[in-house]
Amino acid sequence: MTNDMSSVSLAALADRAPAPERSPVRPADAAAGDIELSIIIPTFNEIGNVEELVSRVRKTLVGVSWEMIFVDDDSPDKTADRARQVARGDRRVRCIQRLGRRGLSSACVEGMLASPAPYLAVMDADLQHDETILPRMLELLKSDQAELVVGSRYVGGGGIGDWNAMRASMSRFATRLSRLVFKQDVSDPMSGFFMLKREVLDNSVRSLSSLGFKILLDMIASSSGKLRIAEVPYTFRNRFAGESKLDNAVLWEFGMLLADKLVGKYVPVRFLSFAAVGGAGVGVHVAILSLLLNAVGLPFTTSQASATIGAMVFNFWVNNFLTYRDRQLKGWRWLKGLVSFMLACSVGALANVGIASYLFENKTQWLLAALSGVLVGAVWNYAITQIYTWGKPK
């Protein structure tokens, strides 16, 4: 009797419990070996857009065997959890959650490499990109009319939506600057919405900078040959939910990408950024020294020590914000990073003085001796802090 009662109770509970909402998925859509198109969605704090994006793509790509891979940079708003929740109802959805590293371009590359699909698309999670052009983009690739298809705001029929004059001008200026690193005729190389054949990724992936947020520009500039590119017009839409990630630092990231494509094969672009920040730090040092010595009237030794500490803090803060934006330290890690940075730079300063003094005593012209010391100190500081202050991404 007890067993019968238990059976009845369990059955009743099952009847009352709501069935999990699941989207119809054909076997061909769910089987990894049959995936035709993989859509890579890099995310950071996009929890309010996940379900709507999946819903719209599901309606658009009827009859296409597709998957969607969210690559989330450990969003504080739990975007990854929401993506996994959606994935439980639709096996075409996957999530890669990255810890200890950030960056839109590197997230896109990681997502593409995680997919077996012969065709790969990249689009933003905020629904500003028009998902309804995905079938047309796929058709151009499958019919071999192109190797790479760009969703363009600047060809006939496309548009930038509600952008203000300043943002529109900056976009056009960045597009002109991009011509420095590639010569192909593309109206919208700054687009974050594109689709490509896997062979294009395979041929360029080892040359990609994966810096900043313009993965399409990086892909075209890193290609070993001229690509057959098609452009499909779309109108840029307003963000569906959440806040924009654009800030002034994206200009620096764009500059870093251009610099890497131009001279990265000769000098690491992070070192150039590190050196530029160090040059600005010299100005900060001189300003603090002059203020404390001349305006406040402190002794030279006290003023010099204070200026040195001030310049180190400035250099660390700016490098943490710009040079190592993808590994940015926060909270207690920021304080620990500052201490390790100052210790490393103190050793670098000793190396600077030691090398310069040695060269000068051995009849090297004073300016050359000084510059040699500066270079040795800069290389030391860059190499040590990259390992012990910011570390390699885990």
Side-chain angles (χ1 to χ4, degrees):
M1 177 181 260
T2 303
N3 289 340
D4 291 342
M5 294 270 302
S6 299
S7 299
V8 171
S9 299
L10 288 173
L13 286 173
D15 288 339
R16 287 197 296 269
E21 184 179 346
R22 302 186 67 86
S23 303
V25 181
R26 301 192 318 272
D29 291 332
D34 295 327
I35 293 173
E36 184 174 36
L37 172 65
S38 182
I39 306 167
I40 313 303
I41 314 291
T43 59
F44 185 75
N45 287 343
E46 297 286 359
I47 189 170
N49 294 314
V50 172
E51 290 172 281
E52 180 66 20
L53 177 60
V54 173
S55 175
R56 293 190 188 186
V57 169
R58 188 184 292 134
K59 294 173 183 176
T60 298
L61 292 178
V62 175
V64 176
S65 179
W66 58 273
E67 69 170 355
M68 183 177 291
I69 303 177
F70 289 92
V71 186
D72 184 69
D73 286 353
D74 200 25
S75 298
D77 74 349
K78 306 298 183 183
T79 298
D81 288 347
R82 180 62 56 83
R84 283 189 283 265
Q85 180 184 1
V86 173
R88 285 193 288 272
D90 191 331
R91 287 173 289 174
R92 293 172 294 189
V93 178
R94 292 198 281 145
C95 178
I96 297 173
Q97 184 175 2
R98 307 198 307 169
L99 305 179
R101 59 197 190 278
R102 284 184 61 182
L104 187 147
S105 289
S106 59
C108 291
V109 173
E110 194 163 326
M112 288 188 282
L113 291 175
S115 168
Y119 304 107
L120 306 162
V122 171
M123 62 188 300
D124 291 345
D126 53 20
L127 291 111
Q128 291 179 319
H129 295 154
D130 185 357
E131 73 287 339
T132 64
I133 70 170
L134 286 169
R136 174 59 180 157
M137 297 169 81
L138 181 60
E139 178 188 344
L140 289 168
L141 294 181
K142 291 177 67 176
S143 62
D144 203 30
Q145 296 179 59
E147 299 169 284
L148 171 66
V149 181
V150 179
S152 176
R153 299 159 291 185
Y154 299 126
V155 293
I160 58 176
D162 296 334
W163 284 11
N164 59 38
M166 175 64 74
R167 185 175 180 185
S169 298
M170 290 177 61
S171 178
R172 287 193 293 268
F173 178 65
T175 297
R176 287 194 293 270
L177 278 182
S178 68
R179 307 292 178 189
L180 294 172
V181 297
F182 74 91
K183 305 300 180 184
Q184 295 206 227
D185 184 20
V186 183
S187 71
D188 196 0
M190 307 297 289
S191 177
F193 186 21
F194 59 94
M195 190 183 295
L196 66 152
K197 293 183 177 182
R198 173 163 292 280
E199 304 87 81
V200 175
L201 173 68
D202 293 341
N203 291 335
S204 63
V205 67
R206 288 174 177 80
S207 300
L208 292 174
S209 301
S210 296
L211 294 170
F213 63 106
K214 293 305 179 186
I215 180 64
L216 174 62
L217 174 61
D218 194 1
M219 189 88 61
I220 297 173
S222 301
S223 177
S224 57
K226 190 171 183 178
L227 296 171
R228 291 182 292 116
I229 301 175
E231 298 189 80
V232 177
Y234 81 100
T235 299
F236 199 77
R237 300 185 298 210
N238 292 328
R239 167 178 277 275
F240 181 78
E243 297 180 356
S244 173
K245 310 303 185 299
L246 290 176
D247 57 26
N248 293 332
V250 302
L251 298 175
W252 180 268
E253 291 181 347
F254 179 61
M256 291 266 284
L257 174 58
L258 293 182
D260 189 63
K261 292 292 118 184
L262 291 170
V263 300
K265 63 177 70 174
Y266 309 110
V267 183
V269 71
R270 281 195 202 268
F271 177 72
L272 294 179
S273 174
F274 191 89
V277 172
V282 172
V284 171
H285 182 109
V286 171
I288 295 174
L289 177 61
S290 177
L291 176 66
L292 297 181
L293 186 63
N294 299 319
V296 181
L298 294 180
F300 176 82
T301 301
T302 303
S303 300
Q304 174 71 351
S306 300
T308 299
I309 293 172
M312 284 184 178
V313 173
F314 170 84
N315 285 358
F316 170 76
W317 176 72
V318 178
N319 276 310
N320 189 57
F321 183 69
L322 294 177
T323 306
Y324 292 97
R325 182 175 172 82
D326 57 333
R327 310 179 200 173
Q328 201 170 99
L329 304 176
K330 296 181 179 180
W332 281 108
R333 294 180 66 227
W334 190 95
L335 189 59
K336 289 175 60 179
L338 174 62
V339 172
S340 70
F341 181 85
M342 294 179 73
L343 289 173
C345 290
S346 297
V347 175
L350 293 175
N352 178 344
V353 174
I355 292 293
S357 299
Y358 173 80
L359 292 175
F360 181 72
E361 290 169 2
N362 284 273
K363 310 304 181 185
T364 302
Q365 201 271 340
W366 69 268
L367 180 58
L368 181 59
L371 291 176
S372 299
V374 169
L375 179 60
V376 169
V379 171
W380 165 270
N381 292 342
Y382 169 72
I384 297 301
T385 59
Q386 178 165 243
I387 297 172
Y388 293 106
T389 300
W390 285 281
K392 295 291 186 185
K394 297 179 177 60

